Amino acid sequence: MVNIFGSLSEKKYSWDKLGNIEEGRPDLGDSLPVEVYRQLEFSLMEVLQKRYGAETANEIFKEAGAIAGVEFTKHHLNTNASFKDFMTDLYKILYKMKIGILNVEHVDSEFNEIILTLADDLDCSGLPPTNEMICDYDEGFLEGILEQYTGERYEVTEINCWANGDRICRFRCKKL
């Protein structure tokens, strides 16, 4: 069987690996229920936690999110835009794709710290409270987006989460 991701020495994931969804799903299209996405995410997280422990599983999800964030930015966003225009475009595409509703709460003058929120977050909005911060993938996704836009590395940390009893997910993005 041919592995679509290539050999071990090659980069495995890029946007083109997603295929031609319009051609391949002419009747069902590009949408699916949130439950289906969460089934994949939560079952994968359970397997990773059993094999490697919660901390390593969370790191893996964050790393995967960063890879996806870079590719997402390359495919959907203009990295030459002003910060305001970039964030406006990011808001629009996240909303259109039903990933979440982005809000920029704070940006310092040097872009050293940015506070972002996601409402209606695909990963956790509507979950019962578990007193956990669970949006590791989102942290990485935002890291990848910011790195691709700025050329700088960011550490993104979730500081509020629906699953922790909050009604919104809030992320502190600090330039490294």
Side-chain angles (χ1 to χ4, degrees):
M1 176 165 32
V2 175
N3 182 345
I4 67 166
F5 297 111
S7 72
L8 290 176
S9 62
E10 297 172 339
K11 180 180 176 189
K12 310 278 186 285
Y13 170 74
S14 64
W15 197 265
D16 64 311
K17 300 284 194 244
L18 300 178
N20 185 331
I21 296 167
E22 189 175 298
E23 178 185 342
R25 291 178 49 100
D27 298 318
L28 296 177
D30 64 355
S31 296
L32 73 147
V34 172
E35 291 91 345
V36 175
Y37 169 81
R38 287 184 180 175
Q39 281 183 315
L40 171 66
E41 181 181 31
F42 296 167
S43 62
L44 182 58
M45 179 59 89
E46 183 176 327
V47 170
L48 290 171
Q49 287 178 346
K50 283 180 181 175
R51 279 203 191 163
Y52 305 112
E55 185 176 333
T56 299
N58 294 345
E59 290 170 4
I60 290 169
F61 257 62
K62 189 170 184 174
E63 186 176 341
I67 292 167
V70 167
E71 290 297 319
F72 180 87
T73 304
K74 288 178 184 178
H75 186 75
H76 286 292
L77 297 162
N78 176 7
T79 56
N80 295 315
S82 69
F83 183 79
K84 181 180 178 185
D85 289 343
F86 181 82
M87 285 296 167
T88 299
D89 290 345
L90 180 58
Y91 164 86
K92 288 177 184 176
I93 194 67
L94 293 178
Y95 187 89
K96 179 182 174 189
M97 296 181 87
K98 300 180 181 181
I99 295 171
I101 301 171
L102 180 73
N103 183 43
V104 180
E105 286 191 348
H106 168 76
V107 181
D108 70 13
S109 61
E110 302 295 318
F111 302 105
N112 289 319
E113 183 178 83
I114 303 166
I115 305 292
L116 303 172
T117 63
L118 272 180
D120 286 18
D121 181 29
L122 183 60
D123 288 340
C124 71
S125 291
L127 291 178
T130 60
N131 297 320
E132 298 174 280
M133 304 292 217
I134 67 165
C135 297
D136 305 294
Y137 183 86
D138 291 347
E139 289 175 338
F141 190 67
L142 292 169
E143 283 181 6
I145 289 169
L146 289 171
E147 181 176 338
Q148 189 64 31
Y149 174 67
T150 66
E152 304 277 347
R153 293 206 51 232
Y154 280 81
E155 174 69 29
V156 176
T157 305
E158 186 176 32
I159 55 177
N160 296 99
C161 183
W162 183 288
N164 195 36
D166 297 306
R167 303 299 282 180
I168 200 161
C169 295
R170 181 173 285 110
F171 302 89
R172 176 177 291 117
C173 313
K174 289 190 144 206
K175 190 186 296 185
L176 297 177

